[in-house]
Amino acid sequence: MSIWFEKLIKTFENEKIDYLANPNIPKQFYCKEFSDFNSYFFQTLKVSLDQSKKNKIFILHDGVFKKSALNSSENIIDKIIEILSENFIVTVKNLSFECQVNSLDIHASEEYLKKTSELIQNEESCNIFIALGSGTITDLLKHALFISNPNAIFISIPTAMTVTAFTSSFSVVDISGAKRTRPSKLIYATFWIESLLQAAPMQLSRAGYGDLLARFVAYGDWYLGYKLGISEKYDELAFRLMDAYAEPIKQIAKEFGKENLSQSASEISAATLAMAGIAMSLSGETTPLSGYEHVISHGLDFLRLISNRPLVLHGEQVALASLTSAMSFDWIFEIEKFDLKKMRSMSEKDTRQIINHFFNSAPFFGREEEKYLDSERKLFEAQSADTLNSAKEIFIKDYLIKSSKWDISKETFSIFINEWPVIKEYLKKLTIRSNEMQELLELACLPTFPEATTPNTTALEYRWALRFSPFIRSRFCIADFIFWLGEDTCTVGAI
Ligand SMILES: [Zn+2]
């Protein structure tokens, strides 16, 4: 067992969490070699198998060729099938083939969720399901099982360390372009195989690292929301669980600027991602690792999903947006006196109006924006009217939830003002400053301005996402506070 995964167990013990019995904590295996994977896998599953026959296993993947090791030309899928076929009857489904689409077009959307559900419903006598792939494949299979086969054993085998989905009991599903996190199927075990993780494109590992940087800002959103009376509960369990990895994760930033990932960087990021997913599951919400930075990322995704453009790597967007978030915290720390006259309050009518305005001015086409004539844009909007209208209603409904809480807590804002010097100091402990965030991004070769994302984001899209951020979801983040103070999120945190 790797020392960084042992640390996982020690951290649970320190917190008196019974990690063996807690269903929110999937068994974690860090496999140095494929042979380790083979033995760990069979040993772990043994108790759940029917010993009188060869048991069935279902594997879902996205059809993209992925190297099984740095110096190997063997496909991961073939390698895993070869290993598991020794002890199991293996059914493999390639989702892009089944849907007859390019793998890049697959999202965790209702359409692909439906297809995944159909695929698993055909596997009646199978009880073990494996997501072999990225966060999207993991989210799709996890959620399809949650809906149609909740008692199945679900196993994740990440092919790149991209997101926290591999260990968390949540799925991010997009509904009319509005990304929503939903409770999902519990994961039985995660197998991190070092050689295949090292062979993953560096850009993907780097993006996964970017997603982890949310750790250094998102807790600030939660605490601030709690202190403002918008978020009802607040707890620091996830913060403490992640704390064991806070320094190591900063130390390995420069490893992501290299061509290949070192063994230790691979181990540390796998363990940190594992802990991040578990910490969210144990908190019962994604709040500990999903604040303003994820809201911005969802806003940028919205623009792309509506116009059917390929999404930017999630972690790249989150990393860039973490810089904006850190800048926004730096900005509020400068506030000595709140200008109560500038504070905003929004009725349902105001909300509808402002969201309409945002939709009418949304740069849905990104780089192509200027090529579209007004008439073409009108046509596009007419064709997408159903999706746009249903997204609009989701955004309005969600905004009004927090806005009504703000209207109540505004009445007692003087208490917050009195406490502000203390709150400020505490927020400084929960977050890092923008210069430190910028340095981490630069060392890891992550984007520090919108145009540097893959594919690139225009300054217009980024600014739109910052300004629209109060309307993306019902949960509070610092952008709401800036907006309610009557200020502009773009002036505060545009890069
Ligand atoms: Zn994320």
Side-chain angles (χ1 to χ4, degrees):
M1 185 51 102
S2 101
I3 55 159
W4 294 103
F5 277 82
E6 275 170 21
K7 209 177 186 66
L8 219 62
I9 291 170
K10 283 205 189 85
T11 312
F12 294 139
E13 285 171 350
N14 286 345
E15 289 292 333
K16 306 208 169 12
I17 294 168
D18 186 353
Y19 62 92
L20 290 173
N22 195 315
N24 274 308
I25 305 182
K27 299 176 201 314
Q28 297 299 301
F29 299 95
Y30 189 78
C31 317
K32 282 273 173 196
E33 310 284 343
F34 278 97
S35 55
D36 295 340
F37 165 68
N38 195 6
S39 56
Y40 291 157
F41 192 91
F42 194 63
Q43 284 303 321
T44 311
L45 268 294
K46 223 170 167 180
V47 286
S48 318
L49 301 178
D50 177 349
Q51 302 293 345
S52 65
K53 60 174 187 188
K54 244 187 171 184
N55 290 259
K56 284 188 178 175
I57 271 192
F58 174 95
I59 302 178
L60 187 71
H61 67 99
D62 64 5
V64 177
F65 175 86
K66 299 177 185 105
K67 282 201 300 182
S68 57
L70 265 177
N71 300 315
S72 161
S73 54
E74 193 178 4
N75 195 349
I76 291 172
I77 313 293
D78 299 336
K79 184 81 190 172
I80 298 286
I81 296 173
E82 180 197 318
I83 293 172
L84 294 179
S85 298
E86 275 180 39
N87 297 308
F88 299 93
I89 299 166
V90 184
T91 305
V92 183
K93 292 288 176 195
N94 169 349
L95 192 58
S96 64
F97 175 79
E98 296 294 333
C99 300
Q100 291 294 303
V101 292
N102 187 314
S103 62
L104 286 175
D105 293 333
I106 299 177
H107 304 300
S109 63
E110 285 163 298
E111 178 191 354
Y112 295 106
L113 199 56
K114 194 165 158 258
K115 186 71 196 174
T116 310
S117 297
E118 282 167 22
L119 292 176
I120 61 172
Q121 274 155 13
N122 292 333
E123 300 297 323
E124 274 175 6
S125 58
C126 179
N127 195 37
I128 304 169
F129 293 81
I130 300 178
L132 177 61
S134 64
T136 304
I137 286 291
T138 307
D139 274 345
L140 282 170
L141 184 54
K142 197 197 290 187
H143 213 59
L145 287 169
F146 176 69
I147 295 164
S148 47
N149 194 353
N151 295 321
I153 294 176
F154 175 58
I155 287 165
S156 59
I157 307 178
T159 50
M161 296 182 285
T162 42
V163 283
T164 52
F166 308 116
T167 58
S168 83
S169 50
F170 295 103
S171 287
V172 182
V173 185
D174 90 68
I175 303 161
S176 309
K179 287 210 163 188
R180 287 295 174 265
T181 303
R182 298 279 180 257
S184 199
K185 170 99 183 78
L186 298 170
I187 301 178
Y188 183 76
T190 315
F191 292 88
W192 308 84
I193 307 171
E194 186 175 85
S195 60
L196 75 83
L197 295 174
Q198 281 186 299
M202 181 52 109
Q203 200 176 25
L204 297 182
S205 312
R206 191 180 289 140
Y209 180 76
D211 201 20
L212 286 173
L213 296 177
R215 155 67 170 79
F216 300 112
V217 276
Y219 244 93
D221 291 298
W222 196 3
Y223 184 71
L224 182 61
Y226 177 67
K227 282 290 164 189
L228 282 166
I230 314 292
S231 317
E232 272 116 41
K233 71 176 193 96
Y234 171 76
D235 89 68
E236 291 188 348
L237 171 68
F239 190 84
R240 295 193 302 271
L241 290 176
M242 292 293 292
D243 210 37
Y245 298 94
E247 275 314 306
I249 215 66
K250 287 181 188 170
Q251 297 302 327
I252 58 168
K254 59 182 179 305
E255 299 289 328
F256 292 88
K258 296 178 181 167
E259 200 179 331
N260 294 314
L261 207 58
S262 66
Q263 288 183 339
S264 70
S266 156
E267 233 177 275
I268 292 171
S269 28
T272 315
L273 276 178
M275 183 57 110
I278 295 169
M280 290 195 282
S281 302
L282 290 176
S283 299
E285 50 190 311
T286 57
T287 324
L289 281 137
S290 174
Y292 185 23
E293 74 302 321
H294 273 77
V295 167
I296 298 171
S297 173
H298 291 341
L300 292 168
D301 284 346
F302 172 70
L303 293 175
R304 288 175 171 271
L305 285 166
I306 291 295
S307 53
N308 279 321
R309 288 181 292 142
L311 297 184
V312 169
L313 289 169
H314 172 74
E316 276 192 11
Q317 247 169 205
V318 169
L320 175 67
S322 294
L323 181 56
T324 290
S325 178
M327 287 166 71
S328 307
F329 279 103
D330 287 355
W331 180 85
I332 65 160
F333 294 155
E334 296 296 317
I335 299 179
E336 300 288 342
K337 203 170 177 301
F338 291 93
D339 186 350
L340 303 185
K341 286 198 290 302
K342 281 175 83 178
M343 286 210 297
R344 266 184 216 157
S345 181
M346 308 258 295
S347 68
E348 181 174 348
K349 192 171 159 243
D350 300 333
T351 307
R352 204 165 273 283
Q353 208 168 24
I354 197 167
I355 290 184
N356 272 331
H357 167 76
F358 273 113
F359 272 47
N360 292 337
S361 63
F364 288 123
F365 306 106
R367 263 186 305 175
E368 310 273 285
E369 198 62 39
E370 289 185 356
K371 290 189 193 158
Y372 280 81
L373 300 171
D374 267 0
S375 55
E376 288 171 319
R377 194 184 162 98
K378 289 251 150 44
L379 182 66
F380 164 80
E381 282 172 2
Q383 283 162 347
S384 323
D386 285 352
T387 316
L388 287 171
N389 285 333
S390 89
K392 204 179 277 180
E393 293 309 315
I394 296 174
F395 291 139
I396 292 170
K397 187 170 147 266
D398 281 359
Y399 175 76
L400 289 171
I401 295 173
K402 62 185 163 192
S403 176
S404 60
K405 291 181 188 162
W406 167 242
D407 286 340
I408 298 167
S409 58
K410 220 164 40 151
E411 301 302 319
T412 52
F413 196 63
S414 57
I415 302 174
F416 179 85
I417 294 176
N418 285 339
E419 242 196 292
W420 176 234
V422 182
I423 295 172
K424 199 193 300 197
E425 287 316 303
Y426 200 69
L427 277 171
K428 285 181 186 169
K429 291 198 184 103
L430 295 174
T431 56
I432 62 171
R433 306 285 59 76
S434 60
N435 55 353
E436 190 178 0
M437 184 66 85
Q438 170 111 16
E439 199 185 331
L440 291 173
L441 297 184
E442 282 167 4
L443 285 170
C445 289
L446 279 160
T448 52
F449 54 93
E451 290 81 357
T453 61
T454 336
N456 69 22
T457 305
T458 63
L460 201 62
E461 284 177 275
Y462 198 69
R463 284 204 301 268
W464 185 90
L466 296 198
R467 290 204 169 107
F468 191 64
S469 54
F471 306 100
I472 283 286
R473 67 181 182 196
S474 61
R475 196 198 295 158
F476 171 90
C477 74
I478 189 172
D480 299 311
F481 190 44
I482 295 167
F483 176 70
W484 290 333
L485 288 177
E487 302 290 344
D488 177 8
T489 45
C490 264
T491 320
V492 171
I495 317 170

